[in-house]
Amino acid sequence: IEEFMLLANRTVAQAIGLPHDKKKAKAFVYRVHDMPDPGKLADLSSLSRTFGYKVKADGSAREVNRSLNRMLLDVKGKGEENLLSTLALRAMAKAVYTTQNIGHYGLGFEYYTHFTSPIRRFPDMMVHRLLARYLAGGRTAMQAKYEDLCDHSSEMEQIAANAERASIKYKQVEFMSERMGQEFEGTISGVTEWGLYVEINENKCEG
């Protein structure tokens, strides 16, 4: 089902985004994902090397992608899996909505949109409306208007993600507050200049 959804999203984005008959592509809503953060990628590359894995911090998108995928495959089931896979995830750019198509790095697609969830996601509804308009022979929509709507959608998505993260942290603190003084086995999940982040193995609470 997931593969069919990806294919539907990509097909719709290509149908509108690919210029036809030397005509300029019409304004559309894309789901884009930029290259990983260079600084975070360099840190991941340096740390992964200490565990014997090679992650490319520079080069083409394809080369970086391949090295990341290889590392994530090789690290499966090993003690350092949690640390390295978390750092790899944090190095990734945030996917956003925009009318300026730069492709989707994470999926390796040149054209991608969100089309398959119009019941729960407003960007999908925008895509449905634009698609219906263009299939009926309508002229291109106002790009600036849709860019504003894309910015708003990306912002709301981030607010929702932050709220979800905060609610999970709140419940973790509530859960652990009844276990003061108890000892647990944990895995270091992050290192900063002020200390360590530790995830408890048994229940995945982190702090």
Side-chain angles (χ1 to χ4, degrees), residues 80-115:
E80 60 271 20
E81 179 186 2
N82 191 47
L83 173 63
L84 292 179
S85 58
T86 300
L87 287 175
L89 194 62
R90 286 176 184 164
M92 291 295 127
K94 181 84 184 77
V96 294
Y97 298 102
T98 179
T99 57
Q100 308 287 334
N101 183 41
I102 59 164
H104 197 294
Y105 172 82
L107 293 171
F109 293 162
E110 285 183 44
Y111 292 88
Y112 191 66
T113 189
H114 271 170
F115 165 82

Side-chain angles (χ1 to χ4, degrees), residues 16 18 23 27 29 31 93 128 133 135 141 160 183 186 194 204:
I16 306 302
L18 269 173
K23 290 179 183 174
V29 172
R31 178 70 167 176
H128 277 245
R133 172 185 180 138
L135 288 174
E183 290 186 8
W194 62 81
K204 301 300 179 188

Side-chain angles (χ1 to χ4, degrees), residues 37-50 55 57 84 87 91:
D37 179 277
K40 290 178 181 176
L41 200 57
D43 289 344
L44 174 63
S45 177
S46 176
L47 187 63
S48 63
R49 206 176 297 119
T50 65
V55 173
L84 292 179
L87 287 175

Side-chain angles (χ1 to χ4, degrees), residues 20-196:
H20 297 286
D21 305 322
K22 296 181 181 176
K23 290 179 183 174
K24 193 180 172 188
K26 293 181 176 177
F28 203 56
V29 172
Y30 298 96
R31 178 70 167 176
V32 304
H33 186 231
D34 210 347
M35 286 273 289
D37 179 277
K40 290 178 181 176
L41 200 57
D43 289 344
L44 174 63
S45 177
S46 176
L47 187 63
S48 63
R49 206 176 297 119
T50 65
F51 289 101
Y53 306 103
K54 191 178 178 184
V55 173
K56 285 184 77 70
D58 46 33
S60 71
R62 187 183 290 271
E63 287 171 336
V64 172
N65 216 349
R66 275 186 183 155
S67 71
L68 275 169
N69 286 335
R70 197 179 303 113
M71 184 272 287
L72 291 170
L73 207 61
D74 292 343
V75 86
K76 273 264 183 278
K78 296 185 180 159
E80 60 271 20
E81 179 186 2
N82 191 47
L83 173 63
L84 292 179
S85 58
T86 300
L87 287 175
L89 194 62
R90 286 176 184 164
M92 291 295 127
K94 181 84 184 77
V96 294
Y97 298 102
T98 179
T99 57
Q100 308 287 334
N101 183 41
I102 59 164
H104 197 294
Y105 172 82
L107 293 171
F109 293 162
E110 285 183 44
Y111 292 88
Y112 191 66
T113 189
H114 271 170
F115 165 82
T116 51
S117 298
I119 292 170
R120 66 183 181 92
R121 234 172 14 204
F122 181 62
D124 301 63
M125 185 59 75
M126 286 196 283
V127 167
H128 277 245
R129 288 170 178 167
L130 285 171
L131 187 60
R133 172 185 180 138
Y134 295 151
L135 288 174
R139 290 183 357 189
T140 189
M142 283 179 61
Q143 190 158 336
K145 173 192 168 185
Y146 275 89
E147 188 60 33
D148 286 344
L149 291 170
C150 284
D151 287 344
H152 178 73
S153 297
S154 297
E155 195 181 319
M156 292 299 104
E157 180 185 24
Q158 189 59 56
I159 288 170
N162 290 345
E164 182 183 5
R165 205 174 293 122
S167 71
I168 291 168
K169 286 290 178 194
Y170 180 88
K171 284 296 176 186
Q172 285 181 350
V173 171
E174 194 176 55
F175 177 77
M176 293 306 293
S177 65
E178 298 168 9
R179 288 154 182 80
M180 296 289 281
Q182 293 182 29
E183 290 186 8
F184 299 88
E185 282 200 1
T187 303
I188 293 171
S189 57
V191 181
T192 70
E193 62 231 21
W194 62 81
L196 306 173

